[in-house]
Amino acid sequence: MNRIYIAAAGLAAMLTFGSCSDFLSTPPDDRKEVNTSQAVQQLLVTAYPQGGFYSVLGELSSDNVQEAYEYRDRTSRFYDQVFAWEDPMDVDYDGPVVIWAYTYKAINTANVALEQLDAMPDTPLNRALRGEALLCRAFGHFIVANVFSVGFDPATASQSLGVPYVTEPEKSIEAVYTRETVAENFRHIAEDLEAGMKLLDDAIYTEAKKFHFTRQAAYAFAARFYLYYQKWEEAERYATLALGAAPYASLRSFDAILALPTTAYRNRALAFTGYDERNNLFFLAGTTHAGYVFGPYPNRGARYNHRQALSAAETTDAHAAWWADGQQGSNLKLEPSAMVSDKSVITRYPDLMIPVSPGSASGYNTSVIAEFTTDETLLVRAEARIHRNNYAEALKDMNAWVANSTTSHTPLTAQRIKDWNNATLYSTVRTPSPRKVMQPTFSLRDREHEDFLQVLLHMRRIETLHTGLRWFDIKRYGIALQRSTVYNGTNIRELDYKLDARDKRHAIQLPPEILAAGLPANPR
């Protein structure tokens, strides 16, 4: 049993905004009285993380980044540690302590709302608010469980360290917590998720609807959760519910983005995260450097990023199974922009700022994140269908994604997928390709099963570029990694940093502040 101030409302503020003295002078339990439905509804606005997103940490941990030798001085100790898969000790907007603090702060807010609702009448509005609070609690724990624990494996989940699953408001710095197992975490997330979805009512959201868990957003969350939980039937079912009656008509429209010049980076990012875009289901907003790391800036994220060489060999411009014969480029509607510092990025994060004071030229870096989209949810369904041995329906989804995302392509068939895999070597530093050696915790039925997954994961890698989701795919599929550096744009050599398929470092180490409070560390 360990003592830890897990809500950490002041900790996040101290790390990103305030000073240590400000934090220490803040009472640990300064909640305002919440005793009406309207007050609970207002409170739930802050039951979503408002910073500490996993995008940068996950992306820098994945194979979507490569060192640029010429820019090796444009970095920070935090970025160096994450790239080398060392336990990050330095504080950063996007570092573990901020992820932990902001996410558990949101969880605590959800628990405050649930406690207040327990004492209130059982009305339709209160039931809907309870549903939203349960979804927020499930979502917060889903984030920290996936960041700070190894991937879910049915054979080992009951022995693997998860995170504390907190179901009551924190009212004292003397609160006592323990780390559950990964199996317990996933079971509790499923319970909150299922209970919450039954209670949701979209009619209660009169504004900023996509910043809340509507039914459609909740279904998309459930689809991703059950995919990670290896419950393929549930993943497919919830993805289908999220996509609706006309799933392929719900995919991203590129019109607004493509109408802008390729150099209009910020406006393109704003269009990418457009609130009214039909594919964007659910947003998060808050403090992050993502807009600068994956944007047209020469210093932030310069040493480690998605390089042009990586794009050409493994991701957006790599030879894909859906390429037409003789095709020489990706023909993606949204090509990555080649930027300063040899970055090759899709501008998906608006680089925004909250001024430190009215009229100030300095402030806090923020952005808006489209956390759930129909495009990614479609690929969740395709993956689930592959696992369920339903290749015909999986092909329909995969071809729909390709048709919507490219200007020209050759439709995928089982034979074309087989031929691409036969012609594509497994990726190494010297012979990079989109095809990776996989050692998943579940059994692959046969070669066709793997072949389909290889193409699907290439699609997911493109669709989720810069989001951090590739890191979770690496964990799920046991993909071993080795770092490399590129110089003069094309000359690549190996670095000593390696990550095994079942590496314990898949679980990001708990922040030093949390370890100091007594929670056990992740094994190393």
Side-chain angles (χ1 to χ4, degrees), residues 136-163:
C136 289
R137 187 166 75 184
F139 179 63
H141 286 106
F142 181 64
I143 291 173
V144 288
N146 278 287
V147 171
F148 296 105
S149 302
V150 296
F152 180 84
D153 176 358
T156 62
S158 60
Q159 291 83 45
S160 300
L161 275 176
V163 295

Side-chain angles (χ1 to χ4, degrees), residues 196-310:
M197 284 190 294
K198 293 176 183 177
L199 299 173
L200 289 178
D201 181 358
D202 291 1
I204 71 171
Y205 308 115
T206 56
E207 58 184 20
K209 190 173 184 176
K210 290 185 178 181
F211 286 88
H212 297 269
F213 272 117
T214 62
R215 283 194 175 276
Q216 191 177 19
Y219 292 148
F221 168 32
R224 186 188 295 172
F225 166 71
Y226 282 115
L227 190 75
Y228 289 14
Y229 206 2
Q230 299 183 19
K231 295 184 182 295
W232 319 126
E233 183 176 358
E234 288 90 339
E236 179 182 356
R237 179 164 64 90
Y238 282 116
T240 298
L241 287 170
L243 293 166
Y248 304 149
S250 72
L251 300 180
R252 178 183 293 113
S253 169
F254 292 89
D255 294 346
I257 301 172
L258 297 180
L260 297 166
T262 56
T263 54
Y265 303 121
R266 176 175 291 178
N267 287 340
R268 279 189 153 221
L270 288 168
F272 194 98
T273 54
Y275 184 85
D276 294 326
E277 289 298 323
R278 64 197 182 203
N279 70 302
N280 291 330
L281 304 181
F282 174 77
F283 294 101
L284 295 171
T287 56
T288 178
H289 279 139
Y292 291 85
V293 173
F294 306 116
Y297 301 98
N299 293 318
R300 179 72 63 178
R303 183 175 184 178
Y304 313 113
N305 216 298
H306 186 248
R307 313 245 79 89
Q308 295 180 56
L310 191 58

Side-chain angles (χ1 to χ4, degrees), residues 27 61 89 104 123 152-153 155 193 217 224 331 377 394 456 506 510:
S61 299
M89 296 294 141
Y104 272 112
T123 65
F152 180 84
D153 176 358
L193 180 57
R224 186 188 295 172
N331 286 345
T377 302
L456 185 281
H506 282 168
L510 270 56

Side-chain angles (χ1 to χ4, degrees), residues 317-355:
D317 287 308
H319 190 281
W322 55 86
W323 276 22
D325 293 338
Q327 186 173 322
Q328 296 300 310
S330 70
N331 286 345
L332 288 173
K333 289 180 181 176
L334 189 59
E335 292 276 5
S337 300
M339 296 178 174
V340 293
S341 307
D342 191 43
K343 293 181 181 180
S344 178
V345 299
I346 293 171
T347 47
R348 67 163 66 232
Y349 298 117
D351 52 292
L352 307 173
M353 185 186 72
I354 299 175

